[in-house]
Amino acid sequence: MSKLTHRTLLALVAISLIVVLLAGCAVPAAPPAAPVEKAAPVEEAVEEPSEEPHVNPLGLEPEASTEGVFFEGGLGRAYLDNAAEIFARVHPDNPMSVEGIQQVSERLRPRFIEGNPPDVIDNSGAFALPRAPLVDEDQMADLAPLMNAPSLDTPGKTFGETLMPGSQDSGVWDGTQRELNITMTVFGIWYSQTLFNEMGWEYPTTWDGMLDFCEAREAEDYNCWTYQGKFPQYMVFGVLTPLIYKNGGLQAIIDIDNLEDGAWETDAVRKSVEQMAELAKREFIMPGTEGLTHTESQAEWLQGNAIFIPNGSWLENEMRDLTPEGFDMVVAPVPGTTEDTSHSLLANAGEPYFVPSAATNVEGGMEFMRVLMSKENAKFFANNVGVIMPIIGGTEGVELSSALESALGALDGAGDDIFADKFYLGGWYTDLKNEVKDRTGDLLTNRITVDEFIEAMQSKADEIKADPDVTKYTRES
């Protein structure tokens, strides 16, 4: 008997056992077997498991272990543990380890160099592995087998067909699906709806209205703004990029992404930088913000020491333990120059996962992602993390928090006017990301002027464009 045949037979035996163990689980159960009046031919018994393609479509070998290493940040790890429990239920003979870390690049770069990366990775956080170099070096496996595999718990659909349309576009590199985004993230400005109700305040609908609102609140001894001082990139995706879109439309974002000549020097970008800089010039930012980490600044905001903070929709879960009862945090789009642009929203599918092509168990890594993004785990995610997975039907029957309800409302209000960039959120150019992060920090502490900010950004974009060693990417929409 050849090795392949032996594995196949073992897999079929395992599948038969799994069908029994799955009885009573959320995964669709096997149909009842037909009454047997006489011994079935051997070949029919071998073919029967193929009727359960959702159980092990990727060919996970019996007893093969799977190692997952995941960024453990604002989303916590409960949803990972829940997915691991589902994995164990579906594959009781296959060990699955789940490890949460923060410094993804520092921890995993040595393993890539040694050629023994984990089987599946959540490559997120401020210290994620640079994505473009991983693609250039063919370190990310092609996820086509996963996309074409049957869904775990949506009968009649492939895994890919259960994902919200467009949600995985940023994980496609040169036509190949290399990453999967597990969250549908809304970016914007957060505040306490309870505070606004008590004070009779209205959220501003224009940027000038925002500045007027802050002027009034400062006169009443409120700090209007804080941000994640040591990580000023929160003000990039939380304020600057939305302002660029509202002032210059999607083309302004595309030109920056495509490294077009003078993209940072347009009137729309200048106006956007000037608008953001007004928060610092007019001293609307809480004193001491620069020295705070993301969680420290968010804690200050929860304690009522500032009215607004920029963030993504992971905020609720990240600060769950420190959120006062009745705070009712909500998110709103960044106000535009005019009211008719205020509804547009920066939102994208994020928290990218990938399977290293050099992993010991590539099939196991993909199988964990199939389980992770099942409808069952998506509902757990919405219920316990307060964030949406881009899974069709993933919030059915879920009781919505104020944060999640406002995020869904913002998505609904934006309609088709939803956008995202590639230069920062898409991870196309690491050096450009670092430059905009650092210069934003300088701008918001009045260490540089708007002109100096624009000059620095255009210079860095030109430098990247001229570097033959940097792989270039383009987008048209």
Side-chain angles (χ1 to χ4, degrees), residues 60-61 64-69 108 111-121 134 137-143 354-367 369:
L60 184 62
E61 295 192 33
S65 62
T66 303
E67 179 192 12
V69 178
L108 296 184
R111 295 192 57 177
F112 276 92
I113 293 173
E114 294 168 2
N116 68 336
D119 300 315
V120 57
I121 296 171
L134 288 172
E137 296 168 9
D138 199 25
Q139 293 286 346
M140 293 184 178
D142 181 354
L143 299 179
F354 74 96
V355 173
S357 53
T360 302
N361 188 359
V362 169
E363 293 80 12
M366 291 191 194
E367 178 63 5
M369 291 167 72

Side-chain angles (χ1 to χ4, degrees), residues 83-160:
E85 290 176 7
I86 300 173
F87 187 95
R89 201 171 69 211
V90 178
H91 303 287
D93 295 328
N94 293 97
M96 173 75 213
S97 68
V98 174
E99 181 185 6
I101 63 174
Q102 275 80 47
Q103 308 286 333
V104 176
S105 181
E106 180 180 325
R107 288 284 304 277
L108 296 184
R109 183 178 288 116
R111 295 192 57 177
F112 276 92
I113 293 173
E114 294 168 2
N116 68 336
D119 300 315
V120 57
I121 296 171
D122 174 2
N123 186 30
S124 302
F127 304 100
L129 289 158
R131 298 156 65 195
L134 288 172
V135 174
D136 295 343
E137 296 168 9
D138 199 25
Q139 293 286 346
M140 293 184 178
D142 181 354
L143 299 179
L146 171 61
M147 299 297 282
N148 295 325
S151 164
L152 184 68
D153 54 7
T154 302
K157 299 288 186 183
T158 66
F159 172 81

Side-chain angles (χ1 to χ4, degrees), residues 36-335:
V36 177
E37 298 180 353
K38 61 181 180 180
V42 174
E43 58 270 24
E44 290 184 8
V46 172
E47 291 177 357
E48 186 177 355
S50 66
E51 297 176 7
E52 300 300 328
H54 63 280
V55 176
N56 189 18
L58 296 167
L60 184 62
E61 295 192 33
E63 300 183 2
S65 62
T66 303
E67 179 192 12
V69 178
F70 309 101
F71 171 68
E72 186 176 335
L75 302 179
R77 63 170 293 151
Y79 73 100
L80 294 167
D81 293 332
N82 188 66
E85 290 176 7
I86 300 173
F87 187 95
R89 201 171 69 211
V90 178
H91 303 287
D93 295 328
N94 293 97
M96 173 75 213
S97 68
V98 174
E99 181 185 6
I101 63 174
Q102 275 80 47
Q103 308 286 333
V104 176
S105 181
E106 180 180 325
R107 288 284 304 277
L108 296 184
R109 183 178 288 116
R111 295 192 57 177
F112 276 92
I113 293 173
E114 294 168 2
N116 68 336
D119 300 315
V120 57
I121 296 171
D122 174 2
N123 186 30
S124 302
F127 304 100
L129 289 158
R131 298 156 65 195
L134 288 172
V135 174
D136 295 343
E137 296 168 9
D138 199 25
Q139 293 286 346
M140 293 184 178
D142 181 354
L143 299 179
L146 171 61
M147 299 297 282
N148 295 325
S151 164
L152 184 68
D153 54 7
T154 302
K157 299 288 186 183
T158 66
F159 172 81
E161 289 170 342
T162 67
L163 307 178
M164 292 181 181
S167 63
Q168 305 304 324
D169 289 354
S170 65
V172 176
W173 298 79
D174 290 335
T176 301
Q177 190 80 51
R178 302 285 183 185
E179 301 170 295
L180 281 182
N181 300 305
I182 72 155
T183 65
M184 192 65 189
T185 304
V186 168
F187 299 90
I189 299 173
W190 293 75
Y191 59 94
S192 165
Q193 186 61 61
T194 300
L195 176 63
F196 270 60
N197 290 344
E198 289 176 353
M199 303 306 295
W201 297 339
E202 295 288 338
Y203 181 76
T205 56
T206 65
W207 192 255
D208 283 345
M210 169 63 76
L211 298 178
D212 290 343
F213 178 90
C214 290
E215 188 77 46
R217 300 293 82 77
E218 293 286 332
E220 298 168 351
D221 291 332
Y222 286 94
N223 294 309
C224 205
W225 275 77
T226 189
Y227 66 91
Q228 296 75 358
K230 291 184 177 179
F231 305 102
Q233 64 267 32
Y234 282 71
M235 288 294 283
V236 176
F237 51 71
V239 175
L240 180 59
T241 301
L243 285 173
I244 292 174
Y245 177 87
K246 291 163 192 278
N247 286 318
L250 183 59
Q251 192 59 51
I253 302 289
I254 291 175
D255 288 346
I256 290 174
D257 291 341
N258 290 349
L259 302 176
E260 295 290 346
D261 293 341
W264 286 93
E265 299 172 333
T266 63
D267 291 343
V269 173
R270 174 175 292 279
K271 184 177 182 63
S272 304
V273 178
E274 289 173 344
Q275 288 175 323
M276 182 174 70
E278 282 295 300
L279 297 177
K281 286 182 178 178
R282 297 172 67 169
E283 299 183 345
F284 292 156
I285 297 174
M286 183 181 75
T289 287
E290 181 188 10
L292 301 176
T293 66
H294 59 305
T295 52
E296 290 170 344
S297 63
Q298 291 157 192
E300 291 286 333
W301 170 70
L302 288 170
Q303 293 167 17
N305 294 325
I307 297 171
F308 296 121
I309 193 168
N311 217 316
S313 44
W314 61 82
L315 174 63
E316 180 187 25
N317 190 63
E318 187 168 59
M319 304 306 293
R320 190 178 299 278
D321 293 341
L322 295 179
T323 302
E325 186 74 22
F327 187 84
D328 285 348
M329 67 174 72
V330 295
V331 61
V334 175

